[in-house]
């Protein structure tokens, strides 16, 4: 009987270690995807700023950013996007899980944790299915405050109110948590 229990315990520990390894691999792949997504988005916004200032960058964000997320979603087979506690686009509003993670990020920041590399991930359920979820905090940089800071350029403020009448995403300062990149990876087993 002791031998059977020992074998079962060894098998369980092996399965736990294998699951932890799979989660680590998923997290690493999520990090890489977020880094690529962030660089693509940043490049488009910088180009938009250079070609026409903040008003143009706001248009780029409105028209191009969802396409960039869509490209990475199609490339990976995952749901890839951005969310925030204060969204500009209501379609990016956080779900309950994301809301909890975003609030957790704020607590971690308040406790002194640096934003660089701040992330959270776990295997959980989403819409009745087992999934791997990943989020990485987006620190507010100087470039972000042009369209998300306070005060805003009057032309930029006008453009934002026209394109995003329900905007909540202003008043940020450098070093604030602007939001987070978010990924949902489906898992093959339930």
């Amino acid at each position: 009987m002791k031998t059977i229990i020992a074998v079962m315990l060894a098998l369980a520990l092996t399965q736990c270690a294998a699951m932890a390894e799979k989660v680590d691999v998923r997290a690493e792949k999520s990090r890489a995807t977020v880094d690529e997504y962030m660089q693509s988005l940043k490049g488009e916004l910088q180009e938009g700023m250079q070609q026409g200032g903040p008003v143009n960058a706001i248009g780029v964000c409105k028209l191009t950013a969802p396409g960039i997320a869509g490209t990475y979603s199609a490339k990976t087979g995952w749901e890839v996007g951005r969310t925030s506690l204060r969204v500009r686009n209501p379609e990016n509003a956080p779900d309950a899980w994301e809301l909890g993670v975003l609030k957790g990020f704020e607590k971690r920041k308040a406790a002194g944790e640096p934003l660089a590399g701040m992330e959270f991930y776990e295997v959980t359920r989403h819409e009745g299915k087992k999934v791997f979820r990943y989020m990485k905090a987006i620190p507010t940089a100087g470039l972000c405050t042009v369209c998300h800071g306070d005060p805003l350029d009057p032309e930029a403020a006008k453009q934002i109110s026209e394109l995003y009448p329900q905007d909540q995403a202003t008043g940020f300062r450098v070093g604030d948590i602007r939001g987070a990149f978010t990924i949902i990876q489906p898992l093959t087993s339930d």
Side-chain angles (χ1 to χ4, degrees):
M1 183 65 136
K2 289 181 184 180
T3 305
I4 293 173
I5 292 173
V7 169
M8 290 176 62
L9 183 57
L11 285 173
L13 290 173
T14 301
Q15 287 176 341
C16 287
M19 180 61 165
E21 184 177 318
K22 287 179 185 177
V23 167
D24 289 343
V25 168
R26 287 183 179 278
E28 188 57 39
K29 288 180 179 180
S30 294
R31 273 184 215 105
T33 298
V34 162
D35 288 345
E36 286 180 37
Y37 176 27
M38 181 177 59
Q39 292 306 316
S40 296
L41 183 59
K42 184 178 176 182
E44 291 289 333
L45 290 172
Q46 286 175 329
E47 185 176 327
M49 287 287 284
Q50 291 171 354
Q51 291 181 358
V55 171
N56 190 53
I58 294 163
V60 166
C61 200
K62 170 82 172 173
L63 300 173
T64 307
I68 294 170
T71 296
Y72 284 98
S73 293
K75 178 180 171 181
T76 60
W78 309 335
E79 289 181 42
V80 178
R82 294 174 299 153
T83 190
S84 179
L85 291 174
R86 296 170 22 211
V87 296
R88 175 152 288 163
N89 181 346
E91 292 178 19
N92 294 338
D95 64 22
W97 185 88
E98 292 166 331
L99 183 63
V101 173
L102 288 164
K103 288 179 178 179
F105 284 169
E106 290 291 347
K107 286 179 184 174
R108 290 164 61 183
K109 179 185 179 288
E113 184 177 336
L115 292 181
M118 186 180 288
E119 65 182 6
F120 181 82
Y121 55 88
E122 70 178 345
V123 173
T124 186
R125 296 195 80 71
H126 176 70
E127 297 177 353
K129 296 182 179 170
K130 192 173 177 183
V131 295
F132 173 84
R133 296 197 73 172
Y134 174 90
M135 286 180 71
K136 181 175 182 178
I138 302 171
T140 302
L143 178 66
C144 304
T145 61
V146 174
C147 300
H148 293 285
D150 186 30
L152 293 177
D153 170 84
E155 289 298 314
K158 181 181 175 192
Q159 177 82 344
I160 290 167
S161 69
E162 288 173 7
L163 294 176
Y164 301 101
Q166 299 172 347
D167 179 53
Q168 303 169 1
T170 58
F172 287 92
R173 295 185 311 262
V174 172
D176 287 346
I177 297 175
R178 170 61 197 95
F181 293 101
T182 183
I183 291 178
I184 303 172
Q185 294 183 28
L187 297 177
T188 54
S189 63
D190 225 358

